Amino acid sequence: MKTPLIKLLATVAIASLGTTAALADVLKFSHTDNPGGSRQAAAEIFAEKVAEYTNGRHEVRIFPAGQLANDPKAIEQLQLGGIDFTVSATGSYATHLPSLNLTAMPFLVDTFEQGWELYDKSAWLQGEFDKLPAKGFRVLSTWEAGFRSYTTGMELNSPADAEGRKMRVYPNDMIRWTMEAIGFQTVVMPITDVYLAIQQGTVDGQENPVDTIKSLRFYEVAPNITLTRHVYSPLPLTVAEATWQSFSAEDKAAISKAAAESAAFSRDLVKGSVESQLAEMTAAGAKVNTPVIGPFRDAVASVYDKARDVYGSEAVDGILADAKAIRDAK
């Protein structure tokens, strides 16, 4: 008598588990920040909000520290279907849409707030982002990393100190041109290889936002932190277009909301952490220097003309005009 009832209950339990598993669609999120960094913190907020706003239909599983791929490979994996989300510097996406290199032109904006305005409201930049779904991925929101500065083994007080020195760069023409205009020899390599490369003397330093310098501990092997703030370098959060098109309209709205809220969290966190991060690195033996910026600005003046030659005056002058309007209004 009991056997049919037991079998019935077991069948119901298995069916229930199967339904739950079907609802929990696992989505892979790859990034290169260490577990204690701001990208990981924002990714955790994003994952939490996605689960909440989709009522558990989707689970975002995070893979930090380049476990699945470095930045360029992660973007390729978006296109190939290997991962669902990544977050990387805007210039990293320029391999697939070269005009995005222009966002890495030096000294476009002076403050975080100006940078947020540029990324949220620039007509030129939004138009470029609208081209990305055809490349296999789309921008959901823009997270924060901050302004790029240097960590080097030697003091860097002016462009004269850069002469003959090797600077690691990621694969981005604008960053490379800027470094070469300042006087560096450039060496392209993945960010996951940089710590050891500095330690072994393959390069003399690297340039990244303070948050990245702290998270990846570059100050341990290149203790001179020079706050040039030469490029504003936020982090577009992107989703594979194939993944996006698989979502219902309801889930697209939910994931967009999670992306916006995680971006606001990221911006507040990174902006609010700069001074404490510099203080921590100083306490650990780093030397922080804010140089006279004029000579660095003068050194990179040729980069704008070079950009016009390669990308055309209309595109270059479009983003420069948007940036100037924002600087003048703030």
Side-chain angles (χ1 to χ4, degrees):
M1 294 290 291
K2 294 182 180 178
T3 302
L5 178 59
I6 292 172
K7 287 182 177 179
L8 176 61
L9 292 174
T11 300
V12 171
I14 290 169
S16 176
L17 287 172
T19 302
T20 302
L23 291 176
D25 176 34
V26 176
L27 303 168
K28 293 181 180 179
F29 188 149
S30 172
H31 68 79
T32 55
D33 200 12
N34 278 342
S38 68
R39 268 177 260 191
Q40 177 66 14
E44 290 171 359
I45 294 293
F46 177 67
E48 175 187 317
K49 295 298 183 181
V50 167
E52 177 184 350
Y53 297 149
T54 66
N55 295 315
R57 289 187 295 276
H58 299 285
E59 174 193 345
V60 175
R61 191 167 297 170
I62 306 164
F63 297 87
Q67 290 177 33
L68 299 184
N70 60 33
D71 288 309
K73 292 296 183 183
I75 296 167
E76 289 180 11
Q77 286 299 308
L78 286 179
Q79 298 171 304
L80 297 172
I83 63 172
D84 301 288
F85 301 100
T86 194
V87 61
S88 186
T90 316
S92 296
Y93 299 100
T95 301
H96 309 282
L97 185 64
S99 56
L100 291 180
N101 274 322
L102 298 178
T103 63
M105 284 193 292
F107 301 110
L108 282 179
V109 295
D110 301 322
T111 68
F112 281 102
E113 289 78 9
Q114 290 173 4
W116 301 340
E117 187 87 0
L118 180 68
Y119 270 73
D120 292 346
K121 298 185 179 178
S122 163
W124 179 85
L125 186 52
Q126 292 305 313
E128 298 309 292
F129 282 168
D130 288 344
K131 299 173 184 177
L132 291 176
K135 305 294 182 180
F137 53 91
R138 68 172 55 218
V139 172
L140 292 177
S141 66
T142 303
W143 292 5
E144 190 57 83
F147 289 84
R148 302 181 82 87
S149 289
Y150 295 101
T151 44
T152 54
M154 73 293 177
E155 291 187 0
L156 181 62
N157 296 309
S158 74
D161 295 325
E163 292 296 331
R165 300 291 188 166
K166 293 181 180 179
M167 176 60 54
R168 175 268 173 178
V169 296
Y170 67 96
N172 178 276
D173 285 345
M174 201 64 57
I175 294 291
R176 180 170 56 82
W177 295 343
T178 298
M179 297 305 103
E180 291 171 353
I182 289 171
F184 288 109
Q185 297 176 29
T186 55
V187 179
V188 177
M189 69 174 63
I191 197 168
T192 46
D193 297 343
V194 174
Y195 187 101
L196 186 60
I198 297 174
Q199 193 173 47
Q200 294 180 338
T202 305
V203 294
D204 294 295
Q206 64 85 49
E207 49 84 50
N208 255 301
V210 167
D211 183 74
T212 304
I213 293 168
K214 173 69 167 53
S215 172
L216 299 184
R217 309 179 74 90
F218 291 139
Y219 63 93
E220 294 179 344
V221 288
N224 293 283
I225 302 172
T226 305
L227 299 177
T228 47
R229 294 165 54 92
H230 48 273
V231 170
Y232 178 61
S233 187
L235 306 165
L237 167 65
T238 49
V239 59
E241 184 64 12
T243 301
W244 181 254
Q245 294 303 334
S246 73
F247 296 144
S248 67
E250 181 183 4
D251 284 347
K252 286 177 180 177
I255 289 167
S256 294
K257 182 178 180 182
E261 291 183 7
S262 61
F265 170 86
S266 172
R267 287 174 171 180
D268 288 344
L269 175 63
V270 172
K271 181 189 176 188
S273 299
V274 171
E275 293 305 320
S276 62
Q277 289 174 333
L278 289 172
E280 287 181 48
M281 290 188 283
T282 300
K287 299 176 182 177
V288 178
N289 173 42
T290 302
V292 176
I293 298 300
F296 289 93
R297 286 183 181 271
D298 293 343
V300 302
S302 62
V303 172
Y304 304 106
D305 290 332
K306 195 165 188 175
R308 289 187 180 93
D309 290 341
V310 173
Y311 299 100
S313 295
E314 183 177 354
V316 173
D317 292 341
I319 189 169
L320 288 178
D322 284 352
K324 183 178 186 303
I326 290 165
R327 291 197 311 271
D328 291 346
K330 293 290 182 180

